[in-house]
């Protein structure tokens, strides 16, 4: 195709060109590789490449598939491809290869997408930044000195720079929405149980974590969810059924008058940056001008209890992850096998009781009931996606004194003392203050999305989050499709490296 500009097309756009035989799948693949090789040395978004395996898939592209021949990257955690490395950003997994495709990968493969590699993540996807020691930091294309967020930071950067139109992501506390916000992308965290978790697990992070994609357009996200939504008999959770088309919701927009509650108050009672507040205020003004009913109101939950219950699960999951490393390493994990903060978080997890875990899960359920009642009145709950614009690379590293204290505690395995003193919990909560809005939807199981609607004076994106009742991704997609057509939507093409 004469004058074919790969980056001008989203995933569905590329698939349409391929189906009409206006471009060959090999041409699209070549453009993707060219973009990765051009940008990745500066950004460090892609850490493993499947070029040879991908080329073989191009021989027989099924033109009936939704994303036929479209290049896609997978996230280096939970999205296993049989025979390929999957390290979860940790040197502990450096020799490990996946024994089978994950169910998510099997479902996405059916769409016709071509997997060209894997994207960078923080170790075990634990942080809202992507700076693993094993691979090094991923950089934000809007400003290379800043983080793209995490844990799907590599995927966000790859999409935001046009390496690929879509990339695999997952979200256990904001890991789709935070990097989506920081990189100027659209990101949907589906309802708990909507997308695959198997075959190895029946739940991820006690149901908090859900897999999907990051994309430049709303329609790509909706079309992919249409394809990968699944009822898994063995899964611990099942989403309310939806027999319609999310893609059609985007195309149709929403003509009905909606009621939208919004808040710019941090659930932790902490500071919210003025630019993140302004993103919400200007979106509220736009929605009101569109005829929707917009009211300022906080969520009916205790933000500190939500944060505490999230961190309790988080500590326990890290401890369980470290314990399971014995199957990979052939011995019990040592402090030197993982990053220092990971080890310390695991020690706190070891000192976390079964009682605390049960009480935390009860808190999740209480919040879910409260939010379900809330959504009987309000179609959406709108907040900043994050409380601050993207931090600088290295800004959230532990201080020298914190590292010394953690090293001493780690060597002595002072899990009980660490728990009693509460130092680690305080450090974790301080980090959470930058991203306090996203965890609620993970714990209640609700769908939530980030939309790219604001740039700071420094040219850094910040998004706005919308939550809806469980099972109502259709409402979110309809609203996103409407917002995407307005002047408020920030085109990702305006970032310097696109």
């Amino acid at each position: 195709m004469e004058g074919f500009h790969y980056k001008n097309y989203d995933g569905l756009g590329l698939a349409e060109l391929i189906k009409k035989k206006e471009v060959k799948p090999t041409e699209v693949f070549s453009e993707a590789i060219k973009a990765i090789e051009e940008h990745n040395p500066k950004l460090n978004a892609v850490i493993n490449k499947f070029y040879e395996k991908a080329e073989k898939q191009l021989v027989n592209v099924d033109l009936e598939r939704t994303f036929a021949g479209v290049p896609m990257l997978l996230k280096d955690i939970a999205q296993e491809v049989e025979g390929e490395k999957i390290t979860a950003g940790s040197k502990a997994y450096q020799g490990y290869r996946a024994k089978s495709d994950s169910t998510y990968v099997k479902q996405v493969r059916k769409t016709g997408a071509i997997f060209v590699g894997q994207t960078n993540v923080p170790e075990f996807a634990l942080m809202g930044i992507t700076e693993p020691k094993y691979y090094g930091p991923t950089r934000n294309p809007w400003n290379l000195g800043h983080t793209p967020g995490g844990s799907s930071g590599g995927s966000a950067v790859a999409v935001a720079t046009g390496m690929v139109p879509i990339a695999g992501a997952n979200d256990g506390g904001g890991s789709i929405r935070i990097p989506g916000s920081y990189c100027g992308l659209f990101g949907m965290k589906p309802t708990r149980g909507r997308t695959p978790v198997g075959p190895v697990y029946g739940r991820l992070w006690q149901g908090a974590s859900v897999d999907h994609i990051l994309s430049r357009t709303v329609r790509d996200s909706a079309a992919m969810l249409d394809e990968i939504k699944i009822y898994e008999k063995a899964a611990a959770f099942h989403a309310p059924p939806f027999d319609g088309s999310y893609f059609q919701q985007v195309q149709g927009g929403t003509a009905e008058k909606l009621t939208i509650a919004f808040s710019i108050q941090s659930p932790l009672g902490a500071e919210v940056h003025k630019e993140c507040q302004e993103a919400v205020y200007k979106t509220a003004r736009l929605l009101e001008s569109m005829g929707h009913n917009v009211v300022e109101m906080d969520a009916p939950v205790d933000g500190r209890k939500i944060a505490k219950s999230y961190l309790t699960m988080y500590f326990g999951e890290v401890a369980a992850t470290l314990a399971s490393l014995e199957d990979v390493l052939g011995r019990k994990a040592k402090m030197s096998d993982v990053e220092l903060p990971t080890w310390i978080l695991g020690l706190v997890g070891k000192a976390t009781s079964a009682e605390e875990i049960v009480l935390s899960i009860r808190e999740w359920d209480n919040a879910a009931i409260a939010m379900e009642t809330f959504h009987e009145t309000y179609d959406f709950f709108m907040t900043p996606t994050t409380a601050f614009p993207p931090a600088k690379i290295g800004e959230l590293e532990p201080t020298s004194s914190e590292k010394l204290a953690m090293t001493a505690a780690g060597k002595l395995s002072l899990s009980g003392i660490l728990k009693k003193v509460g130092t680690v919990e305080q450090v974790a909560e301080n980090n959470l203050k930058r991203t306090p809005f996203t965890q609620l939807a993970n714990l209640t199981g609700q769908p939530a999305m980030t939309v790219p609607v604001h740039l700071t004076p420094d040219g850094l994106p910040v998004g706005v989050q919308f939550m809806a009742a469980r099972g109502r991704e259709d409402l979110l997609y309809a609203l996103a499709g409407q917002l995407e057509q307005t002047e408020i939507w920030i085109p990702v093409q305006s970032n310097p490296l696109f």
Side-chain angles (χ1 to χ4, degrees):
M1 176 181 175
E2 189 176 343
F4 167 57
H5 297 291
Y6 168 72
K7 291 185 180 182
N8 288 351
Y9 297 89
D10 65 358
L12 291 174
L14 290 172
E16 185 177 1
L17 292 178
I18 291 170
K19 291 174 184 181
K20 289 180 176 179
K21 299 186 178 179
E22 293 181 18
V23 296
K24 297 176 181 177
T26 50
E27 292 177 281
V28 174
F29 174 73
S30 294
E31 289 297 315
I33 303 314
K34 189 187 301 181
I36 292 171
E37 295 303 318
E38 176 190 354
H39 291 306
N40 201 56
K42 297 185 286 282
L43 297 163
N44 195 33
V46 181
I47 48 86
N48 195 18
K49 299 167 184 176
F50 300 163
Y51 295 171
E52 190 175 326
K53 181 173 280 190
E55 278 186 297
K56 293 177 182 176
Q57 295 174 48
L58 295 171
V59 177
N60 294 304
V61 173
D62 185 347
L63 298 183
E64 297 299 313
R65 304 296 181 181
T66 301
F67 289 97
V70 175
M72 176 181 177
L73 288 157
L74 296 169
K75 185 175 176 180
D76 183 33
I77 189 168
Q79 298 179 358
E80 296 95 343
V81 174
E82 184 177 0
E84 295 291 343
K85 288 173 64 177
I86 183 94
T87 67
S90 177
K91 70 176 182 180
Y93 275 91
Q94 60 187 307
Y96 181 78
R97 292 189 175 266
K99 295 178 175 61
S100 63
D101 285 355
S102 68
T103 309
Y104 171 86
V105 164
K106 289 177 182 177
Q107 288 293 106
V108 174
R109 199 188 293 281
K110 291 177 184 177
T111 72
I114 306 296
F115 305 135
V116 297
Q118 289 171 328
T119 59
N120 204 8
V121 300
E123 186 171 55
F124 303 128
L126 296 177
M127 302 296 173
I129 55 176
T130 301
E131 301 177 24
K133 293 292 185 289
Y134 187 49
Y135 292 110
T138 297
R139 297 181 178 275
N140 193 315
W142 295 80
N143 185 318
L144 297 181
H146 290 256
T147 180
S151 62
S152 306
S155 289
V157 171
V159 174
T161 52
M163 297 184 200
V164 288
I166 55 176
N170 37 51
D171 190 319
S175 289
I176 287 175
R177 290 159 289 156
I178 294 167
S181 172
Y182 286 172
C183 291
L185 301 175
F186 176 76
M188 171 75 76
K189 182 204 81 69
T191 298
R192 177 184 296 153
R194 180 74 73 205
T195 59
V197 295
V200 178
Y201 302 101
R203 70 183 76 196
L204 296 170
W205 276 30
Q206 305 311 307
S209 186
V210 182
D211 281 71
H212 192 27
I213 64 169
L214 278 158
S215 61
R216 296 196 294 270
T217 63
V218 180
R219 69 175 195 163
D220 272 0
S221 175
M224 182 60 79
L225 191 56
D226 277 332
E227 295 287 336
I228 68 172
K229 67 185 181 193
I230 189 173
Y231 173 81
E232 289 179 286
K233 288 183 180 179
F237 306 102
H238 303 121
F242 178 71
D243 297 325
S245 162
Y246 296 121
F247 177 77
Q248 287 180 0
Q249 296 295 319
V250 177
Q251 301 302 103
T254 174
E256 61 182 303
K257 183 177 181 178
L258 300 166
T259 302
I260 301 158
F262 78 91
S263 174
I264 51 94
Q265 303 301 319
S266 168
L268 296 177
E271 180 187 358
V272 176
H273 194 280
K274 65 179 182 179
E275 294 297 329
C276 298
Q277 294 183 38
E278 175 55 24
V280 171
Y281 282 133
K282 79 176 189 182
T283 307
R285 291 191 294 269
L286 174 68
L287 289 167
E288 208 159 36
S289 74
M290 293 163 70
H292 301 304
N293 182 30
V294 183
V295 296
E296 190 163 7
M297 178 170 292
D298 293 334
V301 297
D302 186 321
R304 289 197 168 276
K305 284 185 178 179
I306 288 294
K308 184 178 179 182
S309 67
Y310 170 74
L311 290 174
T312 298
M313 174 275 295
Y314 179 83
F315 297 143
E317 287 288 342
V318 178
T321 295
L322 295 180
S324 68
L325 281 180
E326 186 171 355
D327 295 334
V328 176
L329 299 171
R331 55 171 173 78
K332 288 188 176 181
K334 301 181 295 189
M335 189 166 75
S336 59
D337 291 320
V338 295
E339 295 176 22
L340 180 58
T342 302
W343 186 257
I344 297 302
L345 290 170
L347 288 180
V348 175
K350 279 187 176 183
T352 300
S353 68
E355 176 188 23
E356 290 175 284
I357 292 287
V358 170
L359 290 173
S360 292
I361 298 299
R362 286 182 185 175
E363 191 62 42
W364 297 16
D365 293 343
N366 291 337
I369 293 166
M371 289 304 294
E372 194 66 24
T373 302
F374 179 82
H375 284 296
E376 290 173 3
T377 303
Y378 304 101
D379 297 296
F380 300 110
F381 181 51
M382 176 174 66
T383 69
T385 306
T386 65
F388 286 85
K392 292 181 178 178
I393 297 288
E395 184 179 343
L396 302 182
E397 274 274 306
T399 64
S400 298
S401 58
E402 286 171 344
K403 286 179 182 177
L404 283 171
M406 284 193 284
T407 300
K411 286 180 178 177
L412 296 171
S413 295
L414 301 175
S415 56
I417 293 175
L418 281 169
K419 179 73 177 173
K420 189 173 182 180
V421 173
T423 305
V424 177
E425 285 97 329
Q426 190 58 54
V427 170
E429 187 173 312
N430 286 341
N431 274 277
L432 212 57
K433 286 178 180 177
R434 297 191 69 93
T435 56
F437 297 104
T438 50
Q439 294 78 36
L440 177 60
N442 296 93
L443 307 194
T444 60
Q446 295 172 246
M449 67 181 182
T450 184
V451 293
V453 295
H454 189 65
L455 287 177
T456 70
D458 297 331
L460 288 167
V462 290
V464 165
Q465 174 182 243
F466 289 87
M467 293 171 57
R470 278 196 282 195
R472 295 313 306 268
E473 292 96 329
D474 59 316
L475 271 182
L476 290 168
Y477 277 125
L479 179 63
Q482 195 174 26
L483 290 173
E484 194 175 24
Q485 303 308 312
T486 69
E487 73 283 354
I488 202 172
W489 197 271
I490 303 297
V492 71
Q493 289 87 345
S494 56
N495 88 63
L497 292 183
F498 187 82

